[in-house]
């Protein structure tokens, strides 16, 4: 695509490099600058210099979703350039106060994870592990809050598609005339994005039902029929529609596997299911693991296939056999 460049930015995270996209035909626009590290900053500066720019020339910073590997560096770029910052309205709170938001989530998820059957010491470990990583992001003020259907002229018209699920406020940017979607982490070429549990936007005591929401957002990608994708990690996606369908199928298969595990162990907790499903999961992966399992239990609940009982503050799941009688 003319007037667009993809830059691969290093991150300190296990996901590896993150993709940053430059648009150069109507001023200078940076989509997802990367995390707040010196390495990321230097890589971006070197890449900008290759095209005759520096970070002080940036007019706009576009953010796909409020994860620090994507937006962490935005604050520094804005300080140098006075660039306008664009993100979905549901991402604004987390972007403007990432540490405060993280602490609010820790507070909510402590009792929540206990209610899902996770032992207390594991809960403490799981919730404290991400603390050292919070330094890779700086608060950034969003100057343009985006919603579904909004457009931005970056030399080509980008239209916003609201795709919550992997993160609240996840946005895909569609260059319809080019048949291209800048998909953030919503659709990725090699990995299945995790439907991470978070607080519901604007709430302190309600979580997102991330996986059902995520699958709805994947169906929106199918509705666009846009053929090509540029994701937040990895190579360009030459068959975006196939990749979205594959991801839906992957989740349908996993949901059936989790239904079988519930049947084998009922009544059982989400934590027990996670241990069955991923026996050797390191603590660093347990929050994503729980998000995945609870997401599938949410789907089964939405389909009236499980009943949930609660005793001693712990929720247990079993298959709803009544509907077969
Ligand atoms: Zn992400
Ligand atoms: Zn990412």
């Amino acid at each position: 695509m003319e007037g667009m460049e993809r830059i691969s930015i290093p991150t300190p995270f296990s996901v590896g490099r993150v993709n940053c996209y430059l648009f150069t035909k109507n001023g200078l626009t940076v989509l997802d600058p990367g995390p707040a590290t010196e390495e990321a900053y230097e890589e971006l500066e070197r890449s900008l210099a290759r095209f005759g720019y520096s970070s002080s020339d940036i007019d706009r910073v576009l953010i796909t979703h409020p994860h620090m590997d994507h937006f962490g560096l935005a604050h520094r770029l804005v300080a140098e350039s006075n660039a306008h910052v664009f993100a979905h309205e549901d991402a604004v709170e987390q972007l403007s106060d990432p540490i405060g938001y993280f602490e609010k989530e820790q507070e909510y998820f402590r009792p929540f994870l206990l209610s899902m059957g996770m032992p207390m010491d594991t809960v403490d470990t799981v919730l404290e592990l991400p603390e050292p990583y919070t330094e890779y992001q700086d608060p950034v003020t969003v100057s343009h809050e985006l919603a579904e259907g909004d457009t931005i002229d970056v030399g080509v018209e980008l239209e916003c598609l609201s795709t919550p699920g992997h993160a609240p406020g996840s946005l895909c940017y569609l260059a319809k005339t080019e048949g291209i979607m800048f998909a953030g982490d919503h659709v990725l070429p090699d990995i299945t994005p995790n439907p991470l549990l978070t607080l519901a936007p604007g709430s302190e005591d309600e979580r997102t039902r991330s996986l059902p929401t995520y699958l709805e957002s994947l169906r929106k990608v199918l509705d666009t029929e846009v053929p090509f994708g540029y994701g937040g990690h990895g190579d360009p996606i030459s068959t975006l529609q196939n990749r979205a369908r594959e991801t839906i199928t992957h989740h349908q298969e996993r949901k059936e596997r989790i239904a079988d595990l519930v049947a084998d162990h009922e009544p059982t907790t989400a934590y027990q299911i996670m241990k069955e499903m991923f026996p050797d999961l390191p603590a660093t992966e347990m929050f994503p693991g729980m998000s995945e399992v609870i997401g599938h239990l949410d789907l089964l609940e939405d389909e009236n296939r499980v009943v949930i009982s609660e005793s001693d503050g712990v929720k247990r799941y079993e298959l709803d056999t009544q509907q077969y009688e």
Side-chain angles (χ1 to χ4, degrees):
M1 175 178 163
E2 213 191 319
M4 190 279 287
E5 304 289 343
R6 179 166 69 102
I7 303 170
S8 173
I9 304 277
T11 81
F13 307 109
S14 58
V15 68
R17 289 180 167 255
V18 65
N19 288 323
C20 163
Y21 298 92
L22 302 182
F23 300 89
T24 56
K25 288 207 128 178
N26 178 21
L28 178 61
T29 303
V30 174
L31 186 151
D32 282 358
T37 65
E38 212 42 48
E39 294 74 23
Y41 179 77
E42 282 167 16
E43 183 70 54
L44 182 62
E45 277 292 4
R46 263 196 304 275
S47 303
L48 288 171
R50 272 209 316 272
F51 305 109
Y53 297 103
S54 81
S55 54
S56 59
D57 298 321
I58 299 171
D59 298 294
R60 300 173 204 88
V61 176
L62 271 52
I63 294 168
T64 58
H65 66 295
H67 286 170
M68 63 187 110
D69 50 334
H70 299 261
F71 84 86
L73 197 56
H75 171 94
R76 184 166 173 183
L77 301 180
V78 171
E80 290 175 3
S81 63
N82 278 319
H84 296 273
V85 179
F86 297 72
H88 190 273
E89 52 196 357
D90 287 344
V92 169
E93 185 192 353
Q94 192 172 353
L95 291 170
S96 63
D97 182 16
I99 305 291
Y101 190 84
F102 171 70
E103 288 168 354
K104 215 164 82 169
E105 291 211 308
Q106 274 180 319
E107 208 164 296
Y108 170 78
F109 280 109
R110 192 171 302 280
F112 174 79
L113 290 173
L114 288 171
S115 79
M116 288 290 142
M118 189 181 270
M120 175 89 80
D121 54 340
T122 312
V123 171
D124 288 339
T125 310
V126 165
L127 290 180
E128 277 153 28
L129 271 172
E131 268 167 22
Y133 286 99
T134 53
E135 65 180 280
Y136 300 120
Q137 56 191 343
D138 291 314
V140 61
T141 305
V142 175
S143 49
H144 295 67
E145 296 187 14
L146 299 170
E148 176 101 352
D150 287 354
T151 57
I152 309 152
D153 180 3
V154 298
V156 60
E157 187 181 83
L158 296 182
E159 186 181 318
C160 296
L161 184 73
S162 170
T163 53
H166 168 66
S170 164
L171 257 190
C172 293
Y173 296 90
L174 270 60
K176 278 189 173 162
T177 51
E178 312 286 323
I180 290 173
M181 181 177 298
F182 295 89
D185 283 355
H186 183 51
V187 186
L188 292 171
D190 308 312
I191 50 175
T192 312
N194 193 284
L196 284 170
L197 293 178
T198 63
L199 281 171
S203 169
E204 291 187 2
D205 54 10
E206 198 190 327
R207 68 172 173 93
T208 47
R209 291 172 79 82
S210 307
L211 183 56
T213 305
Y214 176 65
L215 292 174
E216 267 171 46
S217 295
L218 274 180
R219 287 182 197 109
K220 286 171 79 172
V221 172
L222 298 181
D223 290 341
T224 67
E225 297 179 0
V226 168
F228 299 109
Y230 283 99
H233 306 275
D235 292 331
I237 310 165
S238 54
T239 53
L240 179 68
Q241 297 296 315
N242 281 348
R243 187 60 193 144
R245 267 192 293 272
E246 257 172 37
T247 308
I248 291 171
T249 306
H250 162 87
H251 282 299
Q252 278 164 347
E253 288 167 3
R254 183 155 279 187
K255 179 183 70 187
E256 294 311 323
R257 183 148 172 241
I258 286 181
D260 290 344
L261 285 173
V262 173
D264 291 346
H265 299 275
E266 64 187 3
T268 186
T269 65
Y271 181 71
Q272 281 172 312
I273 297 284
M274 186 193 69
K275 296 296 271 184
E276 289 292 329
M277 188 104 187
F278 314 110
D280 302 313
L281 208 60
T284 45
E285 296 301 318
M286 275 198 189
F287 193 82
M290 287 296 280
S291 296
E292 176 93 26
V293 168
I294 292 165
H296 288 288
L297 292 171
D298 286 345
L299 289 175
L300 292 168
E301 186 186 358
D302 290 347
E303 294 170 13
N304 297 316
R305 292 172 61 189
V306 286
V307 279
I308 307 169
S309 57
E310 192 168 338
S311 61
D312 302 327
V314 176
K315 284 193 167 129
R316 289 184 175 77
Y317 293 79
E318 50 197 312
L319 285 196
D320 188 352
T321 46
Q322 269 190 336
Q323 62 170 332
Y324 302 112
E325 279 173 3

